[in-house]
Amino acid sequence: MRGVRREEEQRRSIFTRRALALGLGQLALFGALGTRLYRLQSEEGERYRTLAEENRLSARLIPPPRGRILDRNGQVVAGNKLNWRVLLVAEQTQDVGATLETFSRILPLAEHERARIEREVRRRRRFVPVTVREFLAWEEMARIEVNAPDLPGILIDVGTTRLYPEGEHLAHMVGYVAPPAERDMDGDPLLELPGIRVGRAGLERFHDQVLRGRAGAVQLEVNAVGRVIREVERREGVPGQDVQVSVDAELQKAIRGRIEEGTSVVVLDAKNGEVLAMASQPSFDPNLFNAGVSAAQWRQWTASRSTPLINKATNGLYAPGSTFKMVVALAALEAKVLTPGERVSCPGYYDLGDTRFHCWSRYGHGGVDMRAGLKYSCDCYFYEAAKRTGIDRIAAMANRFGLGVDLDIELPGTRKGLVPTRAWRQAQGKPWNLGDTVVHGIGQGFYQLTPLSLATMAARLATGRAVQPHLTRSIGGRPARGGKPEDWPSLGIPDRDLRLVREGMWAVVNEEGGTARVARLPGQYGVLAGKTGSVQVRRVSREQRERGYKAENQPREWRPHALFVAYAPYDNPLYAVSVVVEHGMSGAGAAAPLARDVMLEVFNRFRAAPAQRVAEGRP
Amino acid sequence: MSGTFERRLLTRDRGTGLLQKLWLIPWSFVLLLCAVAAVGYVALYSAGGGPEAYAAKHAIRFGFGLVLMLGIAMVDIRIIARFAWVGYLGGIALLVLVLLHGNVGKGAQRWIDIGPLQLQPSELMKIMLVLALAAWFQRASGERIGNPLFLIPPALMVLVPVGLILKQPNLGTGLITAMIGGAVFFAAGVRLWKFALILAAVGVAAPIAYEHLHDYQRARITTFLDPESDPLGAGYNIIQSKIALGSGGLWGKGFLQGTQGHLNFLPEKQTDFIFTMIAEEFGLVGALTTLGLLALVVLFCFAVALRCRHQFGRLLAVGLGTNFFCYVFVNVAMVTGSIPVGGVPLPLISHGGSAMLTTMLGFGLLLSVFVHRDAEFGPARD
């Protein structure tokens, strides 16, 4: 019995020791947990608090409305319209397939549309709306509203999309918008929003930053799967600013109504360089870019020989032909190689060494002074003038008139054109011959000029100031620079010289024997001064000439281009115009009458509006 | 004097005097359990955003658990000891059954549906194992403990259920079961060098066992070593739990104000990560208070063991205390990112009926030990 008791005592003492060891061990582990908690919650608490906030809050951007583009009279040429969309929220329907099935009985869905929707539903979280259809008509939307009870998960949402009310009429200037591409990403978080558009061409592109505005932001509390619980903070964005441009939409439409394919017309305010109209035929509908242009449409546009996407007024390159002769005359006067009264004899041709250059009139003009040279557009006179002046002085004068230089107009991609110099030719490794100078005296040869630069030349001839063509009148209500004539410096050409070439241009239109009498304005409108130009697109060989070459017998694409530059009124120039009719045969025949009609439109249009201008223009 | 009275009461008049037995129940401990369950109620109230989802059920289960516990506390400890092997074999049978017919959830835990209850046999098994081991070592004198042959049957008693649980597969519970068995062996007086031998064997076997682990188990081990390596996958739970804990700070974000929990960044916040919920809303103070209450429960188990006059009761109390400790430690260590995620709930606080009932069953046994701490067993045999 004692043994049993001792045995029991021993067992108990072993147990007590071991139980204490176990208990203390466990207590120590509790202590370790406490230490761990202290480290996490107290020492590193700040760091984890930040992480928890990052978890909780999600910032979302609110797209600002894009600024509008208005014409000079405040008419909207690029605006926003509501875009009714049908969205599908997967978690609000039990069966996505069934909902789409019902939906397609109301509005048919193509097979590929359904596939896309189902793919997006699978890819996104179930509460994120997926676009089913965009750009719904009012009546389509009504049909869906009525059937809403049978369409669980379908909801109608309204966003905005770009609207160009004048469609193709101003497409080349206004441009268009499209979803941003990778290269458009400039760090503006706005561009990552679904449905956002950026300016892709024209003014939309040039003024994209001001039109775009700044995104607002809303701080949302979200849960672990990203569903919004509540709005914590809201910061309104800055809406895009309206841009008012100098174009007159009605004038533009009227002009476009008169011109045919391959024709471009530029109308400038001669005093300050504002573009009043700029037409290039054919054009395209910029509204099509909103929803994305189909591949077929794109192919049709880009493959077409008539290049509807290209603005010929700023990107079409033409030799100026005889419209260049004023520049040559002024260069000769400045170089003092010719006096205004000096006569050059024109037998119908001009011999330089072995080479014979022809005047457009095969019978010749006899003895021709500068005024007559312009009036009759005598080639021989300008062959001689160019020969005496030299190509580099002619080029320098051309640059001063805005030819072959960057005009800084707000239309991205505008071509500078080319005015050749001796150095330019030598850079190509070719010599510059005197014969080249002679040819360039009549605006033929290497010249590549845009209708816009020709209109600029006309405006500078008319005012003697270095006006630059521009479109922006005001941004967000603040007037842009360049609206006043005084904003533009003088060209520094003596009035006497300018008066002489202007008189020549006056004679072209208003004097018996001038090349463009057809361009005369009816008396009550004032007096128009201008200059014709016809440029060969193919060289006429001697053989052809001897067989009696007639341009009108040639295939269309071989016929010469017709050009006309003009300004009016003669004594107080307000408007400058350039017209280029591709393959229009002759400036006098095709371009001059069109220029006259355009000028009539301008006068009709502005007789009432800026009335004082028209009043000033009367002789 | 009262001591002799109690002894007389217990040894001679067992089966009678239920009222007197109730008088012997340590009501302060029952109050402690109520306090822990109340913490659970508050946390589950927050996790469910109201009482309906989890908290109300929790209170009802705890009520049932209390009745069960008090009922078991009334049963004479010697009867419990006699039928310990029945419970053990029953537990083994359930483990086999669950392997054959059980439901698998979350990759590992296996349960059997018994009416409204989902029973996880592995949890019941841990208690039955402690019972059986205590009954075995109750008969052992110091000399027999030294005899390796005498240790083989209890070692098998541990290895069979551990093997079955690992096969489920449930790595965490398997390891905990082995550790509880080891604790009873240790308390019973098994020589330390034998433990060293076992540990060495495990050290050799572990790399081989790793080869046979499931991918998700290996993932848990690798993400434990570097949770940030896979922030959206396996490491997500631990990272979010640490953010919740850390952002709670000293005083917490306030009741129902925990953003991590209420915005669902916290995974399984009503079960495995309930402690995180408490720590986020009530801060370090709340977390340490909860941990302190749970430590008191463990301490009480050891106090019962030390005051008990028979080996069966002592070993049972230590085993039960260690079982409870393992739950708490593994769970809290898991949510603080100290050990791999194991899917172990926090007893008395986490949502879950089966765990609550087995825990209260264990405490019933513990209270029975306490009430019958002076019961006479037959002498240990050589």
Side-chain angles (χ1 to χ4, degrees), chain B residues 2-14:
Chain B
S2 72
T4 10
F5 164 74
E6 282 164 19
R7 254 170 90 179
R8 192 161 46 82
L9 180 81
L10 290 170
T11 49
R12 305 229 174 105
D13 304 319
R14 68 165 181 243

Side-chain angles (χ1 to χ4, degrees), chain A residues 323-579:
Chain A
T323 61
F324 192 71
K325 284 174 178 166
M326 286 79 79
V327 171
V328 178
L330 286 170
L333 286 175
E334 192 171 76
K336 299 195 191 322
V337 294
L338 263 171
T339 60
E342 185 176 344
R343 285 171 188 272
V344 173
S345 104
C346 169
Y349 56 84
Y350 180 84
D351 284 328
L352 180 75
D354 295 342
T355 320
R356 169 161 293 186
F357 299 90
H358 293 271
C359 185
W360 67 269
S361 163
R362 66 159 83 175
Y363 309 110
H365 294 102
V368 176
D369 64 6
M370 185 169 283
R371 188 175 180 279
L374 286 168
K375 176 183 170 186
Y376 301 117
S377 198
C378 174
D379 291 337
C380 294
Y381 182 86
F382 287 97
Y383 291 143
E384 179 64 19
K387 191 184 111 185
R388 292 194 197 173
T389 311
I391 190 65
D392 286 344
R393 284 196 282 214
I394 293 172
M397 185 57 76
N399 291 160
R400 279 160 81 182
F401 278 90
L403 304 176
V405 292
D406 195 344
L407 289 171
D408 266 349
I409 194 167
E410 303 96 314
L411 297 176
T414 293
R415 303 282 290 266
K416 198 168 107 175
L418 172 68
V419 170
T421 60
R422 201 176 288 272
W424 169 81
R425 189 65 174 155
Q426 280 159 1
Q428 292 183 322
K430 305 250 172 63
W432 184 271
N433 302 316
L434 194 56
D436 294 326
T437 307
V438 168
V439 168
H440 284 78
I442 61 162
Q444 305 274 6
F446 296 116
Y447 290 115
Q448 291 195 327
L449 300 176
T450 62
L452 178 69
S453 66
L454 291 175
T456 307
M457 174 188 77
R460 291 183 180 188
L461 281 169
T463 60
R465 287 180 187 277
V467 293
Q468 288 203 348
H470 62 276
L471 283 154
T472 311
R473 289 198 105 192
S474 69
I475 293 172
R478 291 183 308 283
R481 268 194 65 252
K484 294 195 290 286
E486 304 85 67
D487 290 344
W488 306 106
S490 164
L491 285 170
I493 293 169
D495 259 358
R496 186 168 32 88
D497 296 1
L498 281 171
R499 268 207 305 277
L500 192 73
V501 290
R502 285 178 194 151
E503 214 178 302
M505 289 171 77
W506 177 84
V508 166
V509 180
N510 297 290
E511 217 170 64
E512 198 66 47
T515 53
R517 294 216 55 195
V518 63
R520 251 176 323 161
L521 295 181
Q524 71 271 28
Y525 287 99
V527 178
L528 182 144
K531 182 73 194 78
T532 53
S534 315
V535 291
Q536 292 166 7
V537 291
R538 282 171 66 86
R539 193 187 155 78
V540 181
S541 66
R542 174 176 300 190
E543 199 182 333
Q544 281 175 308
R545 206 178 286 278
E546 282 165 359
R547 282 216 312 264
Y549 165 84
K550 274 204 165 61
E552 54 265 39
N553 298 335
Q554 303 289 314
R556 186 178 183 278
E557 62 268 29
W558 291 2
R559 296 177 193 168
H561 294 325
L563 289 80
F564 196 72
V565 297
Y567 67 87
Y570 172 64
D571 47 2
N572 179 25
L574 292 176
Y575 310 111
V577 172
S578 75
V579 170

Side-chain angles (χ1 to χ4, degrees), chain A residues 7 11 18 36 41 55 224, chain B residues 140 142 186 190 240 260 263 336:
Chain A
E7 184 74 32
R11 205 158 70 154
R18 294 214 164 171
R36 173 82 177 157
Q41 297 198 266
N55 261 347
Chain B
F186 179 74
V190 175
Q240 293 302 337
Q260 288 284 104
L263 298 174
T336 51

Side-chain angles (χ1 to χ4, degrees), chain B residues 160-183:
Chain B
V160 169
V162 167
L164 287 170
I165 293 168
L166 286 180
K167 195 157 165 47
Q168 283 188 358
N170 188 342
L171 181 65
T173 310
L175 288 178
I176 290 176
T177 310
M179 271 156 58
I180 293 165

Side-chain angles (χ1 to χ4, degrees), chain A residues 157-222:
Chain A
D157 173 70
V158 57
T160 62
T161 183
R162 208 62 168 157
L163 174 71
Y164 302 103
E166 303 303 339
E168 61 170 35
H169 287 302
L170 287 109
H172 287 132
M173 270 178 291
V174 172
Y176 52 86
V177 292
E182 204 56 52
R183 65 189 146 83
D184 295 316
M185 296 295 177
D186 52 9
D188 186 344
L190 187 57
L191 295 187
E192 322 224 330
L193 283 177
I196 202 77
R197 302 281 190 270
V198 294
R200 255 308 147 59
L203 291 162
E204 290 273 30
R205 177 160 159 207
F206 185 84
H207 284 307
D208 194 47
Q209 291 293 338
V210 286
L211 290 168
R212 194 191 286 173
R214 270 209 315 280
V218 53
Q219 282 256 310
L220 298 170
E221 185 173 273
V222 297

Side-chain angles (χ1 to χ4, degrees), chain B residues 64-86:
Chain B
F64 276 116
L66 272 183
V67 173
L68 176 73
M69 176 181 80
L70 293 174
I72 292 170
M74 298 298 102
V75 179
D76 192 299
I77 194 68
R78 282 161 297 197
I79 296 173
I80 291 170
R82 194 172 303 154
F83 292 100
W85 64 274
V86 179

